[in-house]
Amino acid sequence: MSSILNADLHCHSVVSDGTLTPEELAARAHANGVELWALTDHDEIGGQQRALAAARAHGLPYLTGAEISITFAGHTVHIVGLGFDAEDPRMQAGLRQTRGGRGGRAREMSDSLAAVGIHGAYEGALKYAGNPELISRTHFARYLVEAGVCRETNEVFRKYLTEGKPGFVPHRWATLRDAVSWIGDAGGMAVIAHPARYGFTPTEEYALFSEFKTHGGRAVEVVTGSHSAAEYVKYADMAREFGLAASRGSDFHSPDESHTDLGALPFLPGQLTPVWELLADRIQQ
């Protein structure tokens, strides 16, 4: 396989905060010309068997996936795991522990919104959460749109649920070491997800990449739905600098909310090692 492959290795289903089922995502990926697919729900691998079965039904090569929330330098950072054994007990236990913090955080978010006159947000968000353990800011955003507080989810995140705004509650996630070791011990590969999104200073970003590599991390998302063309170039350079493979994924959540559809990204820049070359023996047909 070369870098000229329509791989989409980052998307979300109703098992976390997407709006489509794993089966609907597989069909959409296939229809859009995706040649290698992974479902990467947040802190949850309960949709993996459904995703694999649906991919096989379409003749679509598949890699297991998950997006793990960690805390690094006071920020929430996401680490994607690809090609791991979804039955690995240590990884399952780690993800269960990570999910456990969401319920209490969601109630605090609801209380914060109620303090500015927005009531019933927890119950409203829960309607959108296919899995109550995985209730997230995205589910609150959908409720605030439904309730007429904002016109669209992007507006919600400008006015609420982010640091310094009503509804923001920080959460202590797993550590970088935890996430990378769970993925590696389960036979998979750890990937820094959408690095441009974290707002790190150059020093913080260098520290993230350095520590990630030290713990055994192997790849970074270079081409992803939230990166600009300039950021593709920047993170291609960083992948080369740190000796990391490159990944590609839309971060698709919903036909109504996502700017980038499954399979619609440009190809990886040249002179990079695609993550799928290192995971060739983990791809399920």
Side-chain angles (χ1 to χ4, degrees):
M1 292 182 178
S2 73
S3 58
I4 308 301
L5 183 78
N6 193 350
D8 200 318
L9 305 180
H10 187 159
C11 68
H12 301 273
S13 78
V14 292
V15 177
S16 64
D17 62 345
T19 62
L20 302 184
T21 64
E23 293 80 6
E24 289 168 331
L25 285 170
R28 191 179 188 96
H30 179 254
N32 288 1
V34 172
E35 297 167 285
L36 175 65
W37 178 54
L39 172 65
T40 57
D41 280 315
H42 287 284
D43 306 311
E44 173 62 87
I45 49 182
Q48 289 301 305
Q49 290 304 320
R50 289 171 62 186
L52 173 59
R56 282 180 168 156
H58 291 284
L60 177 60
Y62 186 75
L63 280 167
T64 51
E67 186 174 16
I68 303 176
S69 308
I70 67 155
T71 300
F72 185 85
H75 295 250
T76 297
V77 169
H78 293 149
I79 301 297
V80 165
L82 295 171
F84 53 83
D85 173 9
E87 303 303 317
D88 182 79
R90 184 162 172 259
M91 185 160 183
Q92 289 182 342
L95 293 179
R96 196 176 306 118
Q97 184 178 350
T98 298
R99 292 195 303 270
R102 287 183 183 263
R105 178 183 182 233
R107 292 188 181 279
E108 287 185 54
M109 289 163 66
S110 183
D111 291 344
S112 175
L113 290 168
V116 295
I118 301 168
H119 298 283
Y122 177 78
E123 293 75 15
L126 202 56
K127 288 189 303 185
Y128 289 95
N131 181 344
E133 278 191 329
L134 288 172
I135 190 168
S136 72
R137 292 189 311 158
T138 303
H139 300 123
F140 277 89
R142 289 176 187 148
Y143 170 69
L144 293 187
V145 172
E146 177 202 317
V149 176
C150 295
R151 289 185 303 278
E152 58 177 13
T153 54
N154 286 340
E155 182 186 349
V156 175
F157 288 116
R158 287 196 301 274
K159 297 180 177 177
Y160 303 96
L161 310 180
T162 52
E163 193 162 3
K165 307 288 187 182
F168 175 75
V169 178
H171 183 84
R172 291 293 305 178
W173 304 109
T175 66
L176 181 59
R177 182 196 294 269
D178 288 337
V180 173
S181 64
W182 295 339
I183 294 162
D185 290 351
M189 191 170 295
V191 183
I192 299 173
H194 41 58
R197 277 184 43 187
Y198 306 122
F200 282 141
T201 66
T203 302
E204 289 170 334
E205 186 170 72
Y206 193 90
L208 170 65
F209 276 69
S210 299
E211 191 172 320
F212 175 76
K213 184 80 185 279
T214 298
H215 292 318
R218 303 279 302 280
V220 58
E221 280 185 354
V222 171
V223 176
T224 183
S226 57
H227 281 186
S228 66
E231 287 162 348
Y232 300 157
V233 174
K234 174 184 176 179
Y235 291 104
D237 288 343
M238 290 193 73
R240 286 188 284 267
E241 179 182 352
F242 284 89
L244 297 174
S247 192
R248 173 183 191 269
S250 58
D251 198 8
F252 181 82
H253 284 72
S254 163
D256 301 320
E257 298 169 13
S258 296
H259 298 298
T260 305
D261 206 345
L262 284 158
L265 291 167
F267 293 117
L268 285 179
Q271 300 177 307
L272 296 172
T273 302
V275 70
W276 48 86
E277 285 187 2
L278 304 183
L279 288 166
D281 62 340
R282 308 293 299 177
I283 295 170
Q284 301 179 75
Q285 304 285 348

